[in-house]
Amino acid sequence: MQSELYKRKRGSQFNLMPIPLIDLKAQYRSIKQELDEAIQRVIDEARFVLGPDVTAFEQEMGLYLGVKYSVGVSSGTDALEISLLALGIGEGDEIITTPFTFIATAEAIYNTGAKPVFVDIDPKTFCLNTALIEEKITKNTRAILPVHLYGHPAEMGEILDLANKHNLKVIEDCAQSLGAEYKGNKVGSIGHVGCLSFFPGKNLGCFGDGGMVATNDERVYEMAKMLRHHGSKKKYYHSVSGFNSRLDTLQAAILRVKLKYLDEWNKKRREKAALYKEMLCANGLIGVPYVSQEVIHSFNYYTVRIKDRTEFQQRLKQAEIGNMVYYPLSLHLQEVYQGLGYNRGDFLEAEKAQEEVLSLPMFAELLPEQIKEISGVLNK
Ligand SMILES: *Cc1c(COP(=O)(O)O)cnc(C)c1O
């Protein structure tokens, strides 16, 4: 319930509107005509599956990332699973990854038959703590799968050094970080394979599900293309067991329009983050996001740390300000992975983070006044 105080305080400018965590409608309004035209064109052309927009978008995304090959698939989850399979990963293999991420990261590993081997996170970046990776490498380890969580790139330099030393592949989960950079390189172009998600709430979202596999490895590319299309290269001839996991032409056409704006939107996200920081940094109870000197953050989420967040969550809820805990239960503690043999206490930083993180409204169209209001509610 919205209190009278907030109604008055919010005033006429926002028309008593709640502040959402993400406002997809505002983005649509800003480029409505272009999107509507693209959608209508696909309908008129009626080449809905692997139509010309898919190939064009794959080329445009390849150029954007600086990789030779991209393959549009049905989701970010499928991008991860197809990448792993294209690298020949499966039963008996171990893949090192983070327990503090969305389930899809580990799910993709698990569904290939391989075993997710978790390594605790760096409390500053929420990404893999690279100092803890080497002790987890065994003769069965085949790859490291870092997640650039919330849009902050993982320590890719150290991860690649370890991978080279132990002859491992590196698969980047870029679902929350499209457009982010590590030492001047776009994430997704740094490891052997980059996996993108176009879920509506990501930095570049489509109107449903979508994903992409990005790589410089021609064999991975050829295999990923077959896997998304029933294991087939030539129509009705099937070489491997695959999936129906193609990026829809309609989604590709929408994404082609939106890709042109991605850098501008991400820049705006960074401006919002800077304003949040300015407004919140004096609050001794709130830890604002750390940004390494070596990266450009994409701020898919603006995630703060608060030791006792319950009261803050209640205040935000009362003021009708969107907020979310990404993620309340680390993956090693999830019921589905009980069989992996992990226990509470195994990854203390991940377990601490799950109690402390709180994501605040973040999208390119968020107004400075709204950030001031959100901060006011938190600083009260
Ligand atoms: C969203 C997300 C995925 C999965 O992407 P979908 O397109 O929703 O399948 C994978 N990993 C992370 C870290 C994500 O945030």
Side-chain angles (χ1 to χ4, degrees), residues 23-36 207 257-258 261 264-265 268 364-365:
D23 188 351
L24 295 173
K25 290 178 189 168
Q27 187 192 67
Y28 174 59
R29 279 196 298 272
S30 73
I31 51 171
K32 180 179 186 314
Q33 198 185 342
E34 254 187 294
L35 285 169
D36 289 353
F207 289 180
V257 171
K258 288 194 178 192
Y261 299 98
E264 185 188 317
W265 288 334
K268 286 187 178 160
E365 300 79 9

Side-chain angles (χ1 to χ4, degrees), residues 240-253:
V240 293
S241 183
F243 305 92
N244 176 349
S245 182
R246 299 157 303 219
L247 179 67
D248 288 338
T249 309
L250 201 56
Q251 303 300 356

Side-chain angles (χ1 to χ4, degrees), residues 11-255:
S12 57
Q13 185 172 7
F14 305 116
N15 219 4
L16 309 185
M17 291 291 279
I19 305 175
L21 190 62
I22 172 174
D23 188 351
L24 295 173
K25 290 178 189 168
Q27 187 192 67
Y28 174 59
R29 279 196 298 272
S30 73
I31 51 171
K32 180 179 186 314
Q33 198 185 342
E34 254 187 294
L35 285 169
D36 289 353
E37 280 169 16
I39 291 166
Q40 190 58 52
R41 181 172 49 71
V42 174
I43 295 170
D44 291 339
E45 287 169 3
R47 292 173 67 185
F48 298 114
V49 176
L50 295 181
D53 282 289
V54 176
T55 317
F57 177 58
E58 286 170 343
Q59 281 165 2
E60 286 157 11
M61 185 55 83
L63 280 174
Y64 177 80
L65 292 175
V67 297
K68 277 196 219 153
Y69 311 108
S70 331
V71 182
V73 296
S74 286
S75 70
T77 310
D78 279 9
L80 288 162
E81 188 171 346
I82 286 174
S83 298
L84 290 158
L85 292 170
L87 287 165
I89 286 159
E91 191 128 4
D93 295 333
E94 295 175 3
I95 310 299
I96 290 176
T97 194
T98 164
F100 196 61
T101 174
F102 180 55
I103 184 73
T105 314
E107 187 178 48
I109 297 169
Y110 196 79
N111 287 347
T112 67
K115 183 181 168 193
V117 173
F118 297 121
V119 165
D120 208 357
I121 55 167
D122 175 340
K124 288 209 307 262
T125 62
F126 298 100
C127 298
L128 278 177
N129 182 341
T130 52
L132 304 175
I133 292 176
E134 199 158 27
E135 64 197 59
K136 293 293 182 74
I137 296 174
T138 72
K139 61 178 192 334
N140 296 323
T141 308
R142 294 286 312 282
I144 306 172
L145 203 170
V147 179
H148 310 301
L149 202 74
Y150 306 142
H152 191 295
E155 241 328 309
M156 290 306 290
E158 281 159 41
I159 290 169
L160 284 181
D161 286 348
L162 284 166
N164 289 335
K165 184 172 162 196
H166 295 277
N167 196 24
L168 307 173
K169 300 295 183 193
V170 175
I171 300 146
E172 295 175 74
D173 182 337
C174 308
Q176 300 182 8
S177 58
L178 188 56
E181 294 181 19
Y182 174 85
K183 292 189 179 171
N185 293 306
K186 288 251 159 44
V187 299
S189 71
I190 304 168
H192 295 95
V193 192
C195 301
L196 319 184
S197 165
F198 308 122
F199 181 82
K202 313 290 188 183
N203 291 77
L204 179 67
C206 62
F207 289 180
D209 280 304
M212 188 163 270
V213 172
T215 186
N216 286 310
D217 183 332
E218 192 179 352
R219 280 179 46 204
V220 168
Y221 166 66
E222 294 293 346
M223 188 57 102
K225 244 183 8 178
M226 279 205 283
L227 286 170
R228 76 165 171 190
H229 191 50
H230 302 291
S232 159
K233 209 167 182 175
K234 187 174 157 197
K235 208 174 175 116
Y236 304 126
Y237 291 79
H238 308 273
S239 319
V240 293
S241 183
F243 305 92
N244 176 349
S245 182
R246 299 157 303 219
L247 179 67
D248 288 338
T249 309
L250 201 56
Q251 303 300 356
I254 289 162
L255 290 163

